[in-house]
C-alpha cells in the first residue's frame, strides 16, 4: 500500500516553480515504477555507497495564488497572465491545477502593514510578511485541509494492506509513510539478505488474529463467552442435524462440524433469537450467495464521499470483504445518513454481518463500512419465484430489501 505523498506545489507562472513541479513529478514517476528501476535510485559514488532505497513518490498538484486584484489599482497587473502560464505548466506536466485567492488576506495582513510602515517613516519588507501570513499560513492550511492523501494499493497485490487500513483517518495517513509500498515481498527479502538480516528471513508470515494464534478458536472464545447451545438445521427441509455450543462461534460459509455426519455441511444463516445455525449440503449452495448489502456510515479515506457519488447518488466501483479476495464489481447507492447500499454485479459467496465492505476505484482504496444488513440469498429468491409461479395471485411475501432507485 502507498499513502501517496500529496505535494502541493505553489506555481507563480515563472521558471523556478515550474521546474520544482517537474522534479517532484519525476520523483513520483520513479517511485511508482520500482520494477523498471530495480526499486533503487542511483546516487553518485561516494555519497552513501552509490545506491540508496527509492524514496516515496509524490502526487503533485499545482496551485496558483492570486494575492492582488488588478481591479483595485490603476496600473497593470500580470496576475492573469501568470495564472495562465501556471495552468499551462500543469497541462504539460499532466498534474491537477487549482487556483486560490488571498486578495483580502494579502491586503489586510501584508499591504496594510506595508503602508503603515511607510507612513511611520520605516522601510518594510513585504515579502517576509507575505511568507508569514500568506504562503505559510493561508496557503499551508489550504494544502493541509483541502488536498487529501490517497491510500493506494501496494505493488505486491498479495501483501497489500489497504484492506486493513480502510478505517484509518485522513489525519493519521497524512503523517504516515509506507516504505515497502512500492516493493514486492521477494525484493524485500533480497534487501534483507544483502544487509545481513538473515535471522528474520526464515520466519513464517504472521497471519490470522494475533491474540488467538494457533489455539483452537472455539475453545479460545468459550473461555470468555458463555456457551449458548443450539441446533444445526437444514435450510432445505428444516431437519435437525445436530447441536452446537453457540451460534456466535460460526460465520457464514464455513464448514459446520456436525457430529455423526460424514458429508460436509456449510453455514448459510444464523438465527440469533432461537440460537439455531442453518446449514446447507454444498459449498456452492445458492443460500450462500447474495448480491446486496447495506453498510454502516462509510468511513471515507478522503473524509467525504467521492464527488461522483455525491452528485449522482450512485457510483460504480469495486469492493471486497475479505483480505486477498478478488475485487468484486459493484454499484454504490448513497443514503442520506451516510450509509450505502452495495449491489454486486454478480452474487458473491458468504457475505457476513460484521465484516467490512472495503471500496476501491482505479487502484485507490476509498474507505469502508461495516456490513449491517444483507439482502436475500439466491436460494430465498429462487423459492420466492417458485411460489410466485405456483400462485395465480403472484408472490405472497416480499423477497427482501432492495436499494431505492
Amino acid at each position: 500500500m502507498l499513502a501517496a505523498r500529496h505535494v502541493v506545489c505553489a506555481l507563480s507562472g515563472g521558471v523556478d516553480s515550474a521546474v520544482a513541479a517537474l522534479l517532484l513529478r519525476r520523483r513520483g514517476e520513479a517511485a511508482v515504477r520500482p520494477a523498471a528501476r530495480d526499486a533503487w535510485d542511483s546516487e553518485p559514488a561516494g555519497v552513501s555507497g552509490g545506491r540508496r532505497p527509492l524514496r516515496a513518490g509524490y502526487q503533485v498538484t499545482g496551485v496558483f495564488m492570486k494575492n492582488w486584484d488588478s481591479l483595485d489599482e490603476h496600473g497593470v497587473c500580470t496576475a492573469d497572465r501568470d495564472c495562465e502560464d501556471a495552468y499551462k505548466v500543469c497541462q504539460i506536466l499532466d498534474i491537477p491545477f487549482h487556483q486560490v485567492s488571498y486578495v483580502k488576506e494579502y491586503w489586510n495582513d501584508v499591504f496594510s502593514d506595508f503602508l503603515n510602515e511607510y507612513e511611520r517613516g520605516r522601510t518594510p519588507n513585504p515579502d517576509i510578511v507575505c511568507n508569514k501570513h500568506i504562503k505559510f499560513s493561508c496557503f499551508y492550511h489550504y494544502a493541509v485541509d483541502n488536498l487529501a492523501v490517497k491510500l493506494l494499493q501496494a505493488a505486491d497485490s498479495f501483501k497489500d494492506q489497504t484492506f486493513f487500513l480502510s478505517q484509518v483517518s485522513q489525519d493519521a495517513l497524512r503523517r504516515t509513510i509506507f516504505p515497502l509500498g512500492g516493493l514486492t515481498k521477494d525484493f524485500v527479502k533480497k534487501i534483507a539478505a544483502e544487509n545481513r538480516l538473515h535471522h528474520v528471513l526464515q520466519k513464517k508470515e504472521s497471519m490470522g488474529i494475533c491474540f488467538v494464534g494457533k489455539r483452537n478458536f472455539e475453545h479460545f472464545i468459550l473461555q470468555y463467552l458463555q456457551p449458548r447451545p443450539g441446533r444445526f438445521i437444514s435450510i432445505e427441509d428444516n431437519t435437525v442435524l445436530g447441536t452446537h455450543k453457540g451460534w456466535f462461534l460460526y460465520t457464514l460459509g464455513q464448514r459446520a462440524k456436525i457430529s455423526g455426519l460424514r458429508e460436509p455441511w456449510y453455514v448459510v444463516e444464523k438465527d440469533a433469537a432461537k440460537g439455531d445455525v442453518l446449514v446447507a449440503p454444498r459449498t456452492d449452495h445458492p443460500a450462500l450467495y447474495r448480491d446486496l448489502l447495506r453498510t454502516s456510515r462509510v468511513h471515507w479515506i478522503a473524509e467525504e464521499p467521492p464527488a461522483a457519488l455525491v452528485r449522482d447518488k450512485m457510483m460504480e466501483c469495486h469492493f471486497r470483504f475479505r483480505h486477498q479476495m478478488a475485487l468484486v464489481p459493484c454499484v454504490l447507492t448513497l443514503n442520506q445518513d451516510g450509509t450505502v447500499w452495495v449491489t454486486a454485479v454478480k452474487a458473491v459467496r458468504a457475505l457476513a454481518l460484521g465484516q467490512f465492505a472495503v471500496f476501491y476505484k482505479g487502484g485507490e482504496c476509498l474507505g469502508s463500512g461495516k456490513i449491517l444488513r444483507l439482502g436475500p440469498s439466491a436460494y430465498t429468491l429462487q423459492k420466492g419465484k417458485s411460489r410466485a409461479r405456483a400462485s395465480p395471485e403472484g408472490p405472497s411475501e416480499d423477497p427482501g430489501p432492495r436499494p431505492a432507485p
Side-chain angles (χ1 to χ4, degrees), residues 33 65 68 105 122 144 182 191 201 262 290 304 354 377:
R33 293 180 296 169
M65 286 180 283
W68 189 262
E105 291 83 354
R122 300 172 181 172
V144 170
I191 295 173
L201 280 175
R262 300 179 62 180
R290 290 175 166 83
E304 297 293 336
S377 70

Side-chain angles (χ1 to χ4, degrees), residues 6 20 25 38 43 49-50 129 132 179 181 193 208 212 218-219 223 233 260 283 291 293 298-300 314 366 370 403:
H6 199 160
R25 178 78 166 85
D38 197 29
E43 183 172 280
V129 180
K132 176 182 179 180
V212 176
E218 179 176 320
H219 293 166
Q223 291 179 36
I233 298 178
T283 186
D291 65 359
L293 65 92
V298 175
H299 169 81
W300 300 105
M314 300 180 73
L366 303 177
K370 185 180 292 186

